[in-house]
Amino acid sequence: MIENYQSQIDKICHILSTSITLYSIKMTSFAEYNPEIVKSGIFMFDKTKIYIDTSSVEGINNLGVGEIISYKKRPSRANMQPIPNSVWFAKMKESNKIIIITENDNDILNNKILSTGFMGIKSSSSLPVSLLTAIIISKEFQIQRDLHSVGTTMAGVNNETFLEIQVPYLSSNQIESYDCKYKGLVLQLSILRKKINMLKETKSILLKKYF
């Protein structure tokens, strides 16, 4: 069942990443969409949460176990607050680590803190989560991210170079049409991720019980 759900995720991601190429005749900078980059800083919280750093993520929405932290005892990089309808990607060059957070991802919103190694982009009317997801999971975005990375030992994009990345241009009417067509697929990614997590937890319990 885990493999089946993962196969569905892979197919949805292929559909989304392929769909955005249909608009690549005209390109523009990411700045054209006036993206809202999530600032660092988290809300105070009681008890504990799970810290997700870039090493805890592999591919798209594949989150590992993470590290248990408290507000006062946490790594300095554990300082990014997950927000609804946002897409996060690892800033580091040559990394493929993406987290898509919808309003339905309460497990992430309520229980996790992200690393400053991620850049989070909040959706808006000009950049709905469907379009944002399709752009960021595309192979072309990864290429552009790497080309706009700066630094030597830990090269990656910053806020300024991110805005220079070239992406497909969609008019306001095209954006509205795109969101109507593909928003449901992004919501399905959230459902499938949680189903896989539940199966992994069940599998872990059974292995401990019988082996």
Side-chain angles (χ1 to χ4, degrees), residues 83-87 101-103 109 121-124 129 132 187:
I83 60 174
N85 297 315
S86 59
V87 180
I101 306 176
T102 71
E103 65 269 21
L109 295 169
I121 312 300
K122 184 179 179 180
S123 67
S124 64
V129 71
L132 185 57
L187 295 176

Side-chain angles (χ1 to χ4, degrees), residues 58-186:
E58 196 59 48
I60 301 168
N61 270 8
N62 185 7
L63 280 64
V65 176
E67 175 186 349
I68 298 175
I69 61 169
S70 65
Y71 183 81
K72 292 184 178 180
K73 293 183 179 181
R74 70 184 199 275
S76 59
R77 291 171 68 85
N79 203 40
M80 299 301 289
Q81 185 75 45
I83 60 174
N85 297 315
S86 59
V87 180
W88 303 71
F89 66 92
K91 295 184 285 186
M92 189 170 62
K93 185 178 181 180
E94 297 180 353
S95 58
N96 181 31
K97 302 166 185 289
I98 298 167
I99 305 173
I100 303 159
I101 306 176
T102 71
E103 65 269 21
N104 298 326
D105 291 299
N106 292 327
D107 58 325
I108 297 177
L109 295 169
N110 298 331
N111 303 319
K112 292 180 172 55
I113 297 296
L114 304 181
S115 167
T116 53
F118 290 103
M119 179 178 289
I121 312 300
K122 184 179 179 180
S123 67
S124 64
S125 58
S126 61
L127 198 57
V129 71
S130 58
L131 177 59
L132 185 57
T133 297
I135 290 174
I136 290 181
I137 69 174
S138 69
K139 183 66 176 178
E140 182 58 31
F141 178 81
Q142 292 181 45
I143 294 170
Q144 286 283 317
R145 187 270 317 275
D146 291 351
L147 290 174
H148 287 81
S149 292
V150 293
T152 52
T153 55
M154 295 287 286
V157 291
N158 56 34
N159 290 8
E160 290 73 28
T161 57
F162 165 75
L163 294 174
E164 296 171 359
I165 289 176
Q166 294 293 300
V167 296
Y169 172 81
L170 280 72
S171 67
S172 57
N173 287 338
Q174 287 175 323
I175 291 171
E176 184 177 353
S177 175
Y178 186 93
D179 191 43
C180 287
K181 187 173 182 179
Y182 294 106
K183 183 179 181 179
L185 291 181
V186 176

